[in-house]
Amino acid sequence: MASDRAIVSDRVVDVDIHGLVAPGEDVHLAWSDLTRGPDLVWTERNGGHWIAVNGDLIRTIYKDKVHFSNRDASLPVPPPEFRLSPANDDGLDHEEARAILAPYFRPQVVAGMAGQVRKLSAELVAKLAPRGSCEFMGEFALVLPVEIFLAMIDLPLADRPVLRALAEQMIRESEEDKRNAGFEAAARYLMEWLDRRAAKPGEDVLSAIATATFRGQPISRQRQLSLALNVLLGGLDSTASMTGFIMGALARDPASRQWFIDHPGQRRQAVEELMRRHGVVNNLRVATCDVELDGVTIRKGEHVYLINALHGLDPRLYPDPLKIDFSRKPQPNAVFGMGDHRCLGANLARMEIGVFLEEWLAKIPDFRIAKGETPVTRSGPVNGMEYLPLEWSPARGAASVSQD
């Protein structure tokens, strides 16, 4: 349903965040096309909303807790029972909710998981290397981070296919009724496990959620569900999507693959650049009052999408932004958001990507998009790589990729 908002014509774009690209099109190239116009644009799609295009403007809105709220997850706005916490909390609610989850994502905790990530990465690569081809998303990207995540929250690995399907339905389903049905199914699943953990707590994240206090009182079931949904969606999709985009880029860029192999001491910098180029999460903010930005007035109650990829693709911040350039001077980016709501899983994602690249390139240094095939990407609250067919020569000797 379109809004009745009158907007100057040069600000209006026909952009549907849930359907930005057709099969075979590149979602990041499609987003980057917006950098050629005004810094703040309006679309009538999904009820009408703004999109911040300029990297500095994206940073400004992220850090403005006075004029913008996090209360809505996406458009159309999900029912209140499917809100995400702490992602859609403000103020003290956000601080207390984040504090429940934060201990499980501290740097020392993530560092302790690196051995598990390396072992699983090596096992997956060893199985794939002799074959000479794979569909990377289904055979690697949706296996490694998801299995690590399920172990982290102590859920059965056998549930991975069901949970992945629900995550896809909740994040990328364009029909509101079907999207809500996905949330309902996920809620039923999670509440069953939360009840089990409340009765018999363990050392996992779900146990912490089930037994937490909030504002000095036992945590409500609705708050439990909000926290668990937030953790579930973060663990099942965003890192897998980022992994797919990075591998799609490296499949077309032998020079970058070789640089990564040849510079073991600079791999953290390389991972940052690869993520900068391939932002995945698109966050939503709602104006709490009328506020003027970029020469226009955003009215109270209007929504602004912050496309994290557009911060990384802003040519004013990153010259030749579509190019992967490992010599770029590192600077703060919006890959994981900015400000108080910056993604809790950032350290885990960085570690997983760095470790898997070391293991993959040690065994399969020379790979490409399979002949005659085209990767498939999608947009939505999280940009996704749906299909990535890769091939390589299994007879080719592997490079030596030493660990840092």
Side-chain angles (χ1 to χ4, degrees):
M1 183 178 185
S3 73
D4 60 357
R5 183 75 146 103
I7 305 292
V8 177
S9 60
D10 71 346
R11 298 272 182 177
V12 178
V13 295
D14 184 19
V15 170
D16 180 0
I17 191 170
H18 298 289
L20 183 68
V21 291
E25 295 180 340
D26 185 314
V27 68
H28 289 97
L29 292 181
W31 281 124
S32 71
D33 285 345
L34 290 180
T35 62
R36 301 170 185 170
D39 294 337
L40 187 65
V41 296
W42 173 270
T43 177
E44 289 288 341
R45 301 281 189 152
N46 298 298
H49 64 85
W50 298 96
I51 301 172
V53 175
N54 176 288
D56 287 335
L57 185 60
I58 290 171
R59 180 174 61 241
T60 294
I61 296 173
Y62 262 128
K63 296 189 175 183
D64 187 344
K65 296 183 289 185
V66 175
H67 300 103
F68 294 97
S69 168
N70 291 55
R71 69 176 186 238
D72 296 334
S74 62
L75 294 175
V77 177
E81 60 267 29
F82 301 139
R83 68 190 309 279
L84 305 178
S85 177
N88 302 133
D89 292 326
D90 294 312
L92 290 176
D93 281 355
H94 172 259
E95 291 179 16
E96 290 213 18
R98 191 176 177 94
I100 295 170
L101 304 180
Y104 296 87
F105 298 93
R106 288 173 179 155
Q108 60 268 36
V109 174
V110 169
M113 299 168 64
Q116 183 183 3
V117 173
R118 190 172 298 281
K119 180 176 182 293
L120 181 54
S121 297
E123 290 172 354
L124 291 171
V125 174
K127 291 178 182 178
L128 294 175
R131 286 174 35 188
S133 67
C134 74
E135 194 290 293
F136 181 79
M137 296 309 297
E139 297 184 88
F140 195 103
L142 294 174
V143 179
L144 173 67
V146 176
E147 289 199 7
I148 295 299
F149 168 72
L150 291 178
M152 186 178 181
I153 63 174
D154 195 19
L155 290 178
L157 291 181
D159 291 350
R160 178 170 61 87
V162 172
L163 292 174
R164 265 299 312 162
L166 286 176
E168 190 73 13
Q169 187 174 351
M170 288 184 282
I171 292 171
R172 295 190 183 85
E173 174 55 59
S174 59
E175 295 183 27
E176 187 174 0
D177 289 345
K178 292 181 180 179
R179 188 161 61 250
N180 288 343
F183 273 99
E184 289 170 0
R188 289 192 297 270
Y189 176 91
L190 287 169
M191 288 311 304
E192 179 181 346
W193 281 103
L194 286 165
D195 287 343
R196 293 184 189 182
R197 300 296 161 79
K200 190 177 181 181
E203 301 297 322
D204 59 281
V205 181
L206 286 185
S207 293
I209 293 171
T211 58
T213 58
F214 192 83
R215 294 294 187 96
Q217 300 294 325
I219 191 168
S220 69
R221 287 181 66 81
Q222 183 56 53
R223 178 66 62 174
Q224 287 180 2
L225 179 59
S226 294
L227 283 158
L229 281 171
N230 199 150
V231 170
L232 187 73
L233 288 173
L236 291 177
D237 192 87
S238 54
T239 301
S241 295
M242 177 69 79
T243 300
F245 285 124
I246 287 173
M247 285 297 281
L250 292 178
R252 300 181 176 94
D253 189 353
S256 289
R257 297 197 303 268
Q258 193 61 49
W259 191 100
F260 193 94
I261 291 168
D262 293 342
H263 296 80
Q266 299 178 57
R267 292 198 186 124
R268 290 185 182 180
Q269 176 182 336
V271 169
E272 286 297 313
E273 171 66 359
L274 289 167
M275 293 191 300
R276 186 278 308 169
R277 170 61 178 79
H278 299 99
V280 295
V281 177
N282 304 316
N283 289 317
L284 192 67
R285 297 292 185 268
V286 57
T288 59
C289 59
D290 288 1
V291 55
E292 184 170 331
L293 288 174
D294 192 43
V296 300
T297 299
I298 300 174
R299 295 177 181 171
K300 179 180 180 180
E302 289 183 341
H303 292 89
V304 185
Y305 257 114
L306 306 179
I307 312 300
N308 289 347
L310 284 175
H311 183 278
L313 297 175
D314 187 337
R316 291 156 290 198
L317 298 178
Y318 304 94
D320 197 4
L322 293 172
K323 179 182 178 182
I324 296 171
D325 180 359
F326 294 136
S327 68
R328 289 185 198 274
K329 183 179 180 181
Q331 61 175 304
N333 60 55
V335 169
F336 297 103
M338 288 182 161
D340 293 348
H341 283 76
R342 191 169 178 276
C343 176
L344 276 167
N347 290 325
L348 179 59
R350 284 192 180 95
M351 182 270 286
E352 288 182 347
I353 291 169
V355 168
F356 110 77
L357 283 175
E358 289 176 355
E359 294 299 321
W360 182 282
L361 290 171
K363 300 286 194 304
I364 312 173
D366 187 14
F367 60 96
R368 56 197 171 273
I369 305 298
K371 186 176 180 180
E373 296 275 14
T374 302
V376 176
T377 66
R378 286 193 65 179
S379 60
V382 180
N383 301 320
M385 176 72 77
E386 282 196 339
Y387 177 67
L388 181 59
L390 301 177
E391 64 182 14
W392 57 89
S393 172
R396 176 147 182 171
S400 175
V401 180
S402 62
Q403 299 175 22
D404 289 349

